[in-house]
Amino acid sequence: MKVEFAPLSIPLERRLQTASVAHWVFSFLGLAQCCIVLFIGLFFTRFWLISVLYATWWLLDWDTPSKGGRRIHCIRNSIIWRHMKNYFPVTLVKTAELDPSKNYVVGFHPHGVLVAGAFLNFCTEATGFSQLFPGLTPHMMMLTLWFRVPFFRDYLLSGGLIPSDKDSASYVLRRWGGGNVLAIAVGGAQEALDARPGTFTLLLKNRKGFIRLAMEHGAPLVPVFSFGENELFDQVNNPEGSWLRRTQHCLQQIMGISLPLFHARGMFQYSFGLLPYRWPIFTVVGKPIKVEKKHNPSQEEVDRLHQTYIEELCKLFEEHKTKYNVPEDRHLEFI
């Protein structure tokens, strides 16, 4: 394989963009493990008191993730995220007004490999969420496992992330006065295994928990499609039934996370590495779907609203796909 190296005369801005993306990829792939090693390792050094004090704080702060989290605005507004946004670049597209007196359930599609669009749009202010949707506070859901990792949990909380369990979601949607957005990457870790360039396959046919959640709280549903999300990484071929896919499913059932074998470009060369390709992402926020509040909705009612949601998501995709370089003959596929 011929390796194509980056030219030495790369402008500083592009170097900063690449460094910011490298930091983000590392935070997904290795930061949690480093935090665990640091927390345990400090016990065996003269700095053991740091881990003792943190453990005490951790116990006192245990319920914070499930009670709306603890965002830190200076971190959400960090220049690192603006450099990362410009790397792709990422654009947040508003198509309808969202009433700040209401709480919303946002369905984000597709998951992609590392959910880059969702992270930048809902966990940072790099794309100007607060300017586009004044009065609304986004809360992105993430696998509960990561909120059990010392130090790393605080990093996640600073961006407005909360655990992906019903209690955490209900706490946000029950908040009086509205103004809260609960963002869910509906396809989850399993959908990441099908994320590759040119695909528009969504794991949605039997994903109805977020529909029921919205109905129980009377929260309008907002479909969101992120064009370009699946173009960021190539992935090792893993068709259904292959040994690799079976292994990935097995690991997902054990650990709760999928392990897509992805690759794209490197820091100093463009041929191979774990950094994403520079591909524009356009995250299009659709119009809200009115949801009638029902404390115990029937399965038939959930199915009916689920079908309405799929129709609105398809309509959103079809209305905008040609603007963002998707061929006219490509359509969403649901599994």
Side-chain angles (χ1 to χ4, degrees):
M1 179 179 68
K2 184 179 179 181
V3 178
E4 181 185 354
F5 288 95
L8 296 176
S9 58
I10 295 177
L12 177 60
E13 172 63 20
R14 287 177 68 87
R15 291 179 184 274
L16 291 172
Q17 292 170 8
T18 303
S20 66
V21 171
H23 155 266
W24 169 71
V25 171
F26 169 72
S27 71
F28 267 89
L29 301 183
L31 185 57
Q33 293 84 343
C34 290
C35 287
I36 294 172
V37 171
L38 176 64
F39 178 74
I40 297 174
L42 285 173
F43 278 111
F44 301 95
T45 72
R46 60 179 177 173
F47 302 108
W48 58 270
L49 186 59
I50 295 176
S51 287
V52 171
L53 291 175
Y54 182 84
T56 304
W57 156 253
W58 189 6
L59 289 172
L60 294 173
D61 196 53
W62 186 263
D63 291 333
T64 296
S66 61
K67 293 186 176 179
R70 180 180 53 249
R71 66 190 59 235
I72 300 176
H73 293 287
C74 65
I75 293 181
R76 285 179 55 88
N77 286 282
S78 171
I79 193 173
I80 293 175
W81 310 131
R82 292 201 293 275
H83 285 309
M84 180 178 165
K85 183 260 292 187
N86 293 331
Y87 173 91
F88 297 101
V90 179
T91 305
L92 183 61
V93 181
K94 177 180 179 179
T95 64
E97 294 293 336
L98 298 183
D99 184 355
S101 67
K102 298 178 180 178
N103 294 323
Y104 296 89
V105 174
V106 166
F108 181 88
H109 312 272
H111 182 283
V113 172
L114 293 181
V115 217
F119 176 80
L120 281 169
N121 287 308
F122 301 117
C123 303
T124 81
E125 287 297 331
T127 57
F129 181 92
S130 295
Q131 284 72 45
L132 280 175
F133 301 101
L136 293 176
T137 302
H139 303 265
M140 184 75 195
M141 302 199 81
M142 190 174 184
L143 191 66
T144 305
L145 166 71
W146 299 122
F147 292 90
R148 300 292 181 258
V149 179
F151 303 122
F152 188 63
R153 70 187 288 275
D154 299 284
Y155 172 73
L156 298 178
L157 289 172
S158 69
L161 286 143
I162 61 172
S164 55
D165 58 62
K166 188 173 182 179
D167 288 342
S168 301
S170 296
Y171 184 90
V172 170
L173 296 176
R174 282 198 306 264
R175 281 186 167 176
W176 183 84
N180 294 286
V181 172
L182 183 69
I184 305 172
V186 180
Q190 188 176 341
E191 189 179 273
L193 298 177
D194 290 310
R196 47 177 49 86
T199 61
F200 300 97
T201 303
L202 303 182
L203 185 62
L204 187 57
K205 270 188 178 180
N206 297 311
R207 294 287 172 112
K208 300 177 182 179
F210 74 107
I211 300 290
R212 184 178 294 275
L213 180 70
M215 295 183 74
E216 288 174 349
H217 295 277
L221 284 159
V222 182
V224 171
F225 195 88
S226 195
F227 292 90
E229 193 74 37
N230 282 347
E231 310 298 323
L232 306 185
F233 296 96
D234 291 312
Q235 193 172 159
V236 174
N237 194 32
N238 60 341
E240 289 288 349
S242 65
W243 69 269
L244 177 56
R245 190 60 166 247
R246 289 197 298 270
T247 301
Q248 289 172 322
H249 279 311
C250 182
L251 291 173
Q252 182 186 344
Q253 290 173 353
I254 294 171
M255 300 186 298
I257 57 175
S258 66
L259 295 172
L261 299 182
F262 63 90
H263 58 90
R265 54 157 291 186
M267 280 282 288
F268 306 109
Q269 44 78 29
Y270 300 139
S271 302
F272 188 83
L274 296 179
L275 297 191
Y277 295 121
R278 286 181 181 267
W279 188 278
I281 298 174
F282 295 92
T283 303
V284 184
V285 181
K287 65 180 181 180
I289 302 168
K290 186 178 180 180
V291 176
E292 183 181 349
K293 186 174 183 178
K294 290 182 177 293
H295 290 293
N296 189 25
S298 66
Q299 188 58 51
E300 182 181 350
E301 291 170 325
V302 171
D303 290 343
R304 192 181 309 122
L305 182 57
H306 182 259
Q307 184 58 40
T308 300
Y309 179 85
I310 288 179
E311 291 170 0
E312 289 298 321
L313 179 61
C314 287
K315 187 185 300 183
L316 181 71
F317 177 81
E318 294 295 332
E319 286 177 357
H320 295 273
K321 65 181 182 181
T322 55
K323 300 177 190 175
Y324 306 123
N325 302 315
V326 177
E328 184 66 40
D329 61 348
R330 297 305 306 273
H331 307 285
L332 293 180
E333 299 176 28
F334 300 100
I335 58 175

